[in-house]
Amino acid sequence: MTELSTTSPGPLRLRFEYADPEGYAAAVAELLNDRVASRIAGQDPTLWGPDAEAESAIRLSWVGLAESSRSLVAEIAALRQELATENVDHIVLAGMGGSSLAPEVICARAGVDLVTLDTTDAGQVRAALGDKLDRTLLVVSSKSGGTVETDSHRRAYEKAFADQGIDPKTRIVVVTDPGSPLQKTAEAAGYRKVFLADPNVGGRYSALTAFGLVPSGLAGADIGGLLDDAAAVSTGLASDDEANPGLRLGALMGLAHDAGSDKIVFGDFGSGMPGFGDWAEQLIAESTGKLGLGLLPVVVEDPLSPGYADAGADAILIQLGGAAGSQSAASGWSAWVSGPLGAQFLLWEYATAVAGRVIGINPFDQPNVEDAKKQARALLDSPASAAQETPALTDGAIDCYPIGFSLGSAGSLDEALAAFFGTAPERGYVAIQAYLDRHADSSAAKLRPAVAKRTGLQTTFGWGPRFLHSTGQYHKGGHPNGIFLQITGAVDDDLPVPARPYTFGVLQAAQAAGDAAVLADNGRPVLRLHLTDRAAGLGQLLDAL
């Protein structure tokens, strides 16, 4: 049985389909009775249980960002005007996860250019360094101040600026938390400006902090309007009212999860917010994917892609934009959501926090994220241990390395894929992890629908190491029903990381190997396909699928 309802609080419009109307009504009533929405707005850290209280106490300032971030608007505008008088108008953002995903969607929505550098691929980094350097401002964005990818980008740009006779300190702006190592580095180096973000906001909830606003505003996005749109819905999202969209969306997410729909599939029907699904992917995966629980976000290319139109009972369907109710979910759980970007940032943050309470997890920690980083650092410290083993199988331009499972008697790529896909449990998922050049190797994105069609399983796609700061938490801590197709590629023209004993190519390989080892240690099968020729290997793999 399904029931449909519509709510229109201010600029947000939502419509829900839920398979269990009585259970849904009871869940909403309980959330209202416990005053969950107003307690979130009041930054009550006790909502998620005693084990989560310490972390929650320092992670709830995001509820007031529509007002507390207002002073940044004029400050960013003044800096942008300064830069314009110096003909510096090419903004490059070095940031990972929460430091890059929000600015990317903000700028895409606004139609302004922002180069997002969230990769360790030598070719992609080299291409960015070679583009309009004379007009470039680098925004180095890291909450912890110790993100290895971002530090490597900073070092590479410092050298590139100096090599071109440009004083690096005039072309680097930093966004970080107070007291971080990056703040100290920036001040010692005399970088142009340091923006200190609110330390009581976690990275994935930071869209409306300096992490989201500084690069976006410098690129030319209307960040004041973004905050206005968030402010317009903040009162409704904080209210203990049955029509509260954050409360109702969060209840749907949590209840559907507990009923067995552990994937949440995003289809964009013309929302006007390119990349929004990628931002929501990190928020939901990293917030809920722990203790063997959580919702796996699946971002599809379009509503007709495999995984959306043919989604099974294990999936909640989320329709972004378009006409209300264009698609009904086989699971009976779905939502249509429409509204401006600033409002949607706040809506999904509230909903994710509510879903965390319903599911019974802490939506503000990320206990498994550090595992892969530790493995990668160990490989960088001991390069000999990172030496490639002999592939189990070579077919054309592809070397196959099974990790945590056996290829058996497979003698070809197709047979290796069959053996790998055969390890997936019923209602499991496939995660494709492409440690490649997001631009030069863009055809890799075609792998997601191809794998989804071949396996009939929900399939995700992530560029490495970007996904490590997004879905990486869910992969290790969420439902243990995933299998992992890792794609790496030969590095023809490597790039040193200045003042470090490794190159970008070595760092990229260590990150891939470290993540694969942690996945295998957690019982997740990994098939690494190494492309000895990237273009030929991708073509061969797509043909095999």
Side-chain angles (χ1 to χ4, degrees):
M1 178 180 178
T2 62
E3 182 177 330
L4 295 172
S5 60
T6 306
T7 181
S8 302
L12 286 171
R13 299 174 62 215
L14 298 94
R15 189 175 186 181
F16 302 101
E17 175 188 50
Y18 26 91
D20 179 6
E22 292 182 2
Y24 181 75
V28 171
E30 182 177 351
L31 292 166
L32 290 170
N33 184 63
D34 292 342
R35 300 183 298 105
V36 168
S38 62
R39 287 168 67 191
I40 292 174
Q43 302 187 37
D44 181 348
T46 67
L47 281 166
W48 299 274
D51 290 344
E53 191 169 337
E55 184 75 20
S56 301
I58 56 169
R59 289 292 177 258
L60 283 163
S61 289
W62 54 268
V63 299
L65 290 172
E67 296 305 325
S68 63
S69 288
R70 190 68 62 173
S71 62
L72 283 169
V73 176
E75 193 175 357
I76 294 167
L79 177 56
R80 185 167 188 264
Q81 183 58 43
E82 276 182 29
L83 294 167
T85 64
E86 301 168 19
N87 295 317
V88 176
D89 57 3
H90 183 66
I91 309 301
V92 177
L93 170 61
M96 304 297 296
S99 298
S100 64
L101 293 166
E104 193 164 78
V105 66
I106 292 168
C107 291
R109 175 70 183 91
V112 299
D113 291 332
L114 175 71
V115 176
T116 304
L117 201 56
D118 54 1
T119 183
T120 47
D121 187 85
Q124 191 173 332
V125 174
R126 189 185 296 279
L129 289 167
D131 185 24
K132 305 173 186 173
L133 192 67
D134 60 323
R135 294 163 44 196
T136 293
L137 179 85
L138 179 72
V139 179
V140 182
S141 186
S142 170
K143 181 175 176 63
S144 69
T147 309
V148 64
E149 299 95 335
T150 303
D151 180 67
S152 299
H153 300 148
R154 178 186 65 81
R155 292 171 182 275
Y157 265 90
E158 268 199 338
K159 182 178 186 304
F161 284 136
D163 288 348
Q164 290 297 312
I166 299 169
D167 185 354
K169 67 176 181 286
T170 68
R171 296 295 190 90
I172 297 178
V173 166
V174 162
V175 185
T176 191
D177 272 5
S180 79
L182 180 56
Q183 179 189 3
K184 296 171 185 176
T185 296
E187 291 174 349
Y191 291 158
R192 183 159 194 154
K193 191 169 184 64
V194 177
F195 290 90
L196 297 178
D198 188 334
N200 292 325
V201 179
R204 55 189 177 273
Y205 290 81
S206 66
L208 300 177
T209 69
F211 289 107
L213 301 182
V214 170
S216 305
L218 293 176
D222 178 10
I223 55 175
L226 190 77
L227 293 174
D228 290 342
D229 289 336
V233 298
S234 60
T235 300
L237 290 169
S239 66
D240 297 314
D241 187 310
E242 190 175 3
N244 181 330
L247 202 69
R248 296 182 65 200
L249 178 57
L252 183 144
M253 291 163 63
L255 207 62
H257 169 275
D258 291 351
S261 297
D262 60 349
K263 288 90 175 175
I264 181 165
V265 186
F266 285 84
D268 197 315
F269 284 68
S271 69
M273 303 183 299
F276 184 83
D278 294 328
W279 173 81
E281 178 182 60
Q282 182 198 17
L283 174 69
I284 297 167
E286 204 166 61
S287 296
T288 70
K290 57 203 71 170
L291 302 177
L293 302 170
L295 289 164
L296 175 72
V298 181
V299 181
V300 302
E301 298 73 24
D302 59 66
L304 297 179
S305 293
Y308 193 90
D310 58 351
D314 59 344
I316 309 165
L317 290 187
I318 302 298
Q319 179 188 330
L320 299 173
S326 297
Q327 181 70 41
S328 183
S331 66
W333 302 98
S334 68
W336 166 75
V337 187
S338 180
L341 181 57
Q344 293 227 35
F345 280 148
L346 202 54
L347 165 69
W348 284 96
E349 288 166 352
Y350 264 94
T352 300
V354 170
R357 179 177 169 90
V358 175
I359 295 169
I361 50 86
N362 175 3
F364 304 113
D365 69 347
Q366 48 282 331
N368 304 104
V369 163
E370 190 65 21
D371 295 346
K373 295 179 184 178
K374 290 178 181 176
Q375 283 278 2
R377 284 196 293 267
L379 292 171
L380 285 174
D381 291 340
S382 180
S385 65
Q388 290 186 1
E389 299 177 0
T390 303
L393 168 69
T394 296
D395 186 342
I398 300 178
D399 292 337
C400 303
Y401 298 85
I403 306 167
F405 78 105
S406 172
L407 291 182
S409 61
S412 67
L413 174 63
D414 191 61
E415 291 175 355
L417 290 169
F420 171 63
F421 294 141
T423 66
E426 186 178 359
R427 292 167 64 123
Y429 69 94
V430 184
I432 304 170
Q433 307 171 335
Y435 286 85
L436 300 170
D437 186 324
R438 191 173 161 195
H439 305 301
D441 303 320
S442 60
S443 64
K446 297 177 183 177
L447 293 170
R448 197 214 69 83
V451 169
K453 184 175 181 180
R454 172 159 170 169
T455 63
L457 297 172
Q458 287 294 346
T459 302
T460 66
F461 180 89
W463 294 103
R466 161 185 166 132
F467 75 85
L468 291 175
H469 301 258
S470 180
T471 52
Q473 166 61 41
Y474 186 97
H475 292 162
K476 291 93 172 174
H479 289 277
N481 58 357
I483 64 173
F484 299 85
L485 184 63
Q486 190 183 87
I487 317 293
T488 59
V491 178
D492 295 328
D493 190 9
D494 209 347
L495 182 67
V497 178
R500 284 292 181 263
Y502 49 80
T503 64
F504 278 97
V506 169
L507 174 57
Q508 183 184 46
Q511 290 176 312
D515 191 47
V518 172
L519 289 168
D521 287 346
N522 281 274
R524 273 69 159 173
V526 181
L527 176 60
R528 181 165 77 92
L529 301 180
H530 183 70
L531 314 179
T532 54
D533 179 302
R534 293 192 182 198
L538 282 172
Q540 183 183 344
L541 180 54
L542 285 164
D543 286 344
L545 290 167

